[in-house]
Amino acid sequence: MKKLLLVILAAAGALVAKKKMDEGKNEQALWAEATDTVHKA
């Protein structure tokens, strides 16, 4: 029973970590777009 609980907690932790990483990537992409230099042709 303890092993099952440990596996469930590890999976939940991995999901939270992945969600945080995705949010960070989205924030970084937003800043990259906002601060991108505009080249006029």
Side-chain angles (χ1 to χ4, degrees):
M1 187 67 179
K2 289 182 182 181
K3 287 183 182 181
L4 179 61
L5 182 59
L6 184 61
V7 169
I8 291 172
L9 287 174
L15 287 174
V16 170
K18 181 171 178 0
K19 185 176 179 184
K20 288 280 188 181
M21 286 175 52
D22 289 343
E23 288 175 357
K25 286 181 183 178
N26 289 340
E27 184 74 17
Q28 187 177 10
L30 182 63
W31 274 106
E33 183 181 345
T35 59
D36 191 18
T37 57
V38 178
H39 298 288
K40 294 188 178 186

